[in-house]
Amino acid sequence: MNLRWLRRLFIAIPFFWMLLFFLVPFAFVLKISLSDAARARPPFTPQLGLEDGWSGLIDRLRQFDLESYVWISGDSLYVTSILNSLKIASVSTLLCLVFGYFVAYGMVRAPRRWRTPMLLALILPFWTSFLIRIYAWIGILKNEGFLNNLLLGLGVIDEPLIIMNTTTAVYIGIVYSYSTLMIFPLYASLERMDGTLLEAAEDLGCSRLSAFWQITFPLSLPGILAGCFLVFIPAMGEFVIPDILGGTQTVMIGKTMWIEFFSNRDWPVASALAILLLLILIGPILLFQRHHERHLGKI
Amino acid sequence: MHGKTSWINATSLTLGFAFFYLPLLILVVFSFNDGRLVTVWTGFSLRWYAEVLQNDEMLEAAWNTVRIAALSSTMAVILGSFAAITLVRMGRFWGRTLFAGMIFAPLVMPVVITGLSLLLLFVALDIQRGFWTIVIAHTTFNLALSAVVIASRLVSFDRSLEEAAYDLGASSFATFTQVTLPIISPAVVSAWLLSFTYSMDDLVIAAFTAGPGSTTLPMKLYSSVRLGVSPEINALSTILISVVALGICIAAYVDFRRDKNT
């Protein structure tokens, strides 16, 4: 008897917590995205809801429109931010993959006693505050910053490189803060690999490079896929990096949403942008969950 | 897989770790700089540390953040353990797929979405925003994080230990407290630490769910970073980096001691 109740309680408490504070809020985002902007507190008038009873709802349904969405599709700023986010997230995922593969491969190939210290050394910057890591790059990248001083001092360049407040700075920021998320799954899948496969390939006359492409690379695909999801999905909605390093000219959907919400106080448009971002990401999130369950056991 | 370290592997490791550490190193070095500029060295000084420690607003924000982090990670590991046991040990039940999805999705969901949706929930329910709404928001994210960390420990341990306890006549409660809990306790500790770190670090969710008088350290840091570089931020960052480094060293040492003893 008590086992059954314990079981129900165990399931019910976290279940309802997540239902109330994770899933249900999306219904409100959807509702507000369909509301009209207004000068009020909170700044919108709902088009759906029973505040004025059923007759009020029916009245409002007659005038129902997709104002925020029409507004978004008609304004090039929003379309550009969505396309730009897709581009920046894809390119930086690729950059993280290339950089992360070199590091993960190097770690697996290093002497065994180095591995734990190296893993710890990876964790330290990763656990350091995200804002601090991004902030550290301002001093390096700005016009009179560390990098420019160094290159000017060495005589490599004659005038300072303009990197700060450009998309390049955003790429550097994303690779710097997200590539650890690529290295961990890559390392895990390379570490599990059976080394005798490579020895067999070598014995059979396979060159090192073709052994890499025919054995190591395919066997690390689960890690590659997991790493790409882990970088791409949050990079799509990134706000801090384009805001601090990207300047005004780098528009990304997360940043546009933040500005609509906090500066323009246009809650319906911000909500509509959130819904669009969610629609773009729901596919990758579900695929990632399935991938995770298949390769890393049930959660 | 292991083998010789070729020059290409050595190069990628050196460059890789230099990339990770140089920015932080420069940041730390210039926190000890005497001048206002954070790119030109003028002499050693601890004055910026003194300024940070006298900045009452900063200290209040830091204290707020620590309390929020401690509360939300404690609630999260309790609820997260329930969720992990549910997912790994309870078999099928109605809504299991939905539940697994709700545990998994927050971990990868862009925080702007999570933050906005929670804010709209609080507005709709007419809840005054402030300290407790940030705690709820962070508990939600950290619950998911803890559940995944604890679940991976539960998956990898031998279920027959629990079955043996049952066979020897232990009640389900005794089995839970005397077998299951000790086994998952290292994962519970690391889940708490991860949650605490996350909560100390989060800007976006906190910014959406905060109200007047509940500013957190990342929010304070963000508004000063937007104004540009300053040696005061460098000093504060160095303090925070040292705390994380110390935490990791202690965790690694405890782990090392345990490995040696068993």
Side-chain angles (χ1 to χ4, degrees):
Chain A
M1 197 281 295
N2 69 21
L3 180 67
R4 261 179 91 128
W5 277 104
L6 195 72
R7 183 188 142 105
R8 281 192 188 150
L9 206 66
F10 260 58
I11 298 178
I13 296 173
F15 191 96
F16 284 108
W17 182 285
M18 293 314 281
L19 206 61
L20 179 60
F21 293 116
F22 183 70
L23 205 59
V24 170
F26 288 120
F28 289 102
V29 181
L30 190 65
K31 184 188 159 194
I32 309 293
S33 79
L34 295 170
S35 302
D36 296 329
R39 283 184 184 277
R41 276 179 79 96
F44 58 87
T45 38
Q47 291 200 96
L48 298 171
L50 290 170
E51 289 85 354
D52 305 330
W54 285 103
S55 58
L57 177 65
I58 291 163
D59 276 351
R60 272 179 288 174
L61 276 180
R62 289 215 185 93
Q63 303 162 26
F64 181 79
D65 54 32
L66 294 169
E67 192 185 277
S68 306
Y69 293 91
V70 173
W71 176 256
I72 285 172
S73 62
D75 190 321
S76 68
L77 168 69
Y78 304 114
V79 180
T80 315
S81 18
I82 293 172
L83 293 179
N84 223 7
S85 292
L86 277 170
K87 189 190 100 192
I88 291 177
S90 319
V91 173
S92 30
T93 305
L94 203 66
L95 292 173
C96 283
L97 175 61
V98 175
F99 170 69
Y101 212 104
F102 274 102
V103 176
Y105 192 82
M107 283 171 65
V108 173
R109 278 326 199 69
R112 197 167 277 277
R113 64 177 189 283
W114 288 13
R115 288 197 195 159
T116 315
M118 282 194 300
L119 282 173
L120 286 176
L122 268 185
I123 290 172
L124 173 61
F126 187 67
W127 271 30
T128 301
S129 161
F130 193 80
L131 267 168
I132 293 177
R133 281 182 287 157
I134 300 306
Y135 168 76
W137 280 96
I138 304 178
I140 298 175
L141 297 179
K142 62 180 188 165
N143 291 359
E144 64 278 20
F146 206 80
L147 183 70
N148 275 321
N149 284 351
L150 185 76
L151 294 178
L152 286 169
L154 291 172
V156 182
I157 50 171
D158 296 325
E159 47 190 85
L161 299 170
I162 295 162
I163 304 175
M164 190 63 197
N165 295 338
T166 64
T167 316
T168 315
V170 176
Y171 285 131
I172 295 175
I174 296 181
V175 172
Y176 186 65
S177 32
Y178 285 105
S179 54
T180 317
L181 290 172
M182 182 69 88
I183 295 174
F184 279 127
L186 281 176
Y187 175 82
S189 66
L190 287 170
E191 157 98 287
R192 267 200 302 266
M193 217 180 103
D194 185 356
T196 53
L197 287 173
L198 288 177
E199 283 166 27
E202 221 164 301
D203 289 347
L204 293 169
C206 191
S207 80
R208 276 197 145 177
L209 196 65
S210 68
F212 173 82
W213 285 113
Q214 287 176 37
I215 298 169
T216 312
F217 188 79
L219 283 174
S220 65
L221 273 176
I224 293 177
L225 213 56
C228 288
F229 282 126
L230 278 170
V231 174
F232 180 82
I233 298 169
M236 253 323 270
E238 185 51 54
F239 159 72
V240 175
I241 299 174
D243 186 61
I244 293 178
L245 298 178
T248 43
Q249 41 170 310
T250 312
V251 285
M252 282 182 80
I253 184 166
K255 191 177 145 191
T256 310
M257 207 188 109
W258 178 284
I259 293 168
E260 285 301 338
F261 189 86
F262 285 106
S263 311
N264 300 348
R265 287 189 62 80
D266 193 334
W267 290 19
V269 166
S271 304
L273 283 170
I275 293 289
L276 289 176
L277 180 58
L278 194 65
L279 286 177
I280 296 171
L281 290 180
I282 194 81
I285 290 175
L286 290 177
L287 281 175
F288 182 33
Q289 189 187 0
R290 185 181 281 183
H291 175 78
H292 185 86
E293 288 197 343
R294 193 176 306 151
H295 290 279
L296 301 161
K298 280 250 180 282
I299 65 142
Chain B
M1 193 169 99
H2 56 94
K4 296 182 290 287
T5 311
S6 68
W7 66 269
I8 185 161
N9 293 331
T11 318
S12 42
L13 283 179
T14 315
L15 290 180
F17 280 99
F19 176 64
F20 281 125
Y21 277 91
L22 273 181
L24 295 180
L25 194 69
I26 295 170
L27 181 87
V28 169
V29 167
F30 279 97
S31 73
F32 297 108
N33 191 12
D34 190 41
R36 259 245 153 247
L37 288 173
V38 291
T39 41
V40 184
W41 183 259
T42 48
F44 181 86
S45 158
L46 289 173
R47 58 190 273 221
W48 305 114
Y49 287 88
E51 286 207 8
V52 167
L53 295 176
Q54 278 160 15
N55 187 333
D56 287 337
E57 274 181 47
M58 206 65 111
L59 292 180
E60 202 197 310
W63 175 232
N64 253 340
T65 318
V66 170
R67 283 189 304 158
I68 290 170
L71 267 169
S72 69
S73 27
T74 307
M75 278 159 71
V77 290
I78 297 170
L79 294 172
S81 313
F82 286 9
I85 292 168
T86 301
L87 285 170
V88 180
R89 288 287 186 266
M90 298 288 189
R92 300 218 59 82
F93 59 90
W94 183 86
R96 190 192 179 282
T97 314
L98 175 69
F99 187 55
M102 287 194 300
I103 292 297
F104 189 81
L107 297 176
V108 283
M109 186 72 67
V111 280
V112 281
I113 298 183
T114 319
L116 177 71
S117 64
L118 272 165
L119 168 94
L120 295 179
L121 175 82
F122 294 140
V123 169
L125 299 180
D126 208 14
I127 296 173
Q128 184 73 37
R129 273 172 285 148
F131 182 85
W132 287 101
T133 44
I134 309 180
V135 172
I136 290 175
H138 282 181
T139 304
T140 307
F141 180 89
N142 288 335
L143 194 172
L145 186 67
S146 307
V148 171
V149 172
I150 297 167
S152 65
R153 171 85 184 176
L154 272 174
V155 167
S156 66
F157 97 78
D158 196 353
R159 184 151 201 189
S160 54
L161 288 172
E162 282 171 339
E163 278 155 11
Y166 281 125
D167 289 348
L168 293 170
S171 68
S172 53
F173 183 74
T175 309
F176 176 70
T177 53
Q178 289 170 36
V179 180
T180 314
L181 263 189
I183 290 171
I184 61 170
S185 62
V188 173
V189 173
S190 40
W192 194 90
L193 286 172
L194 273 171
S195 302
F196 188 86
T197 317
Y198 178 81
S199 186
M200 285 292 291
D201 192 21
D202 167 67
L203 163 74
V204 176
I205 294 179
F208 274 107
T209 51
S214 59
T215 309
T216 64
L217 193 59
M219 286 161 71
K220 201 90 195 102
L221 201 59
Y222 172 70
S223 47
S224 19
V225 165
R226 291 219 56 179
L227 298 175
V229 284
S230 90
E232 234 185 313
I233 308 179
N234 284 39
L236 177 65
S237 305
T238 305
I239 298 173
L240 292 175
I241 293 171
S242 318
V243 171
V244 171
L246 194 71
I248 288 175
C249 289
I250 293 172
Y253 180 71
V254 170
D255 226 36
F256 175 74
R257 284 278 299 266
R258 202 180 48 226
D259 282 355
K260 238 178 147 181
N261 290 339
T262 50

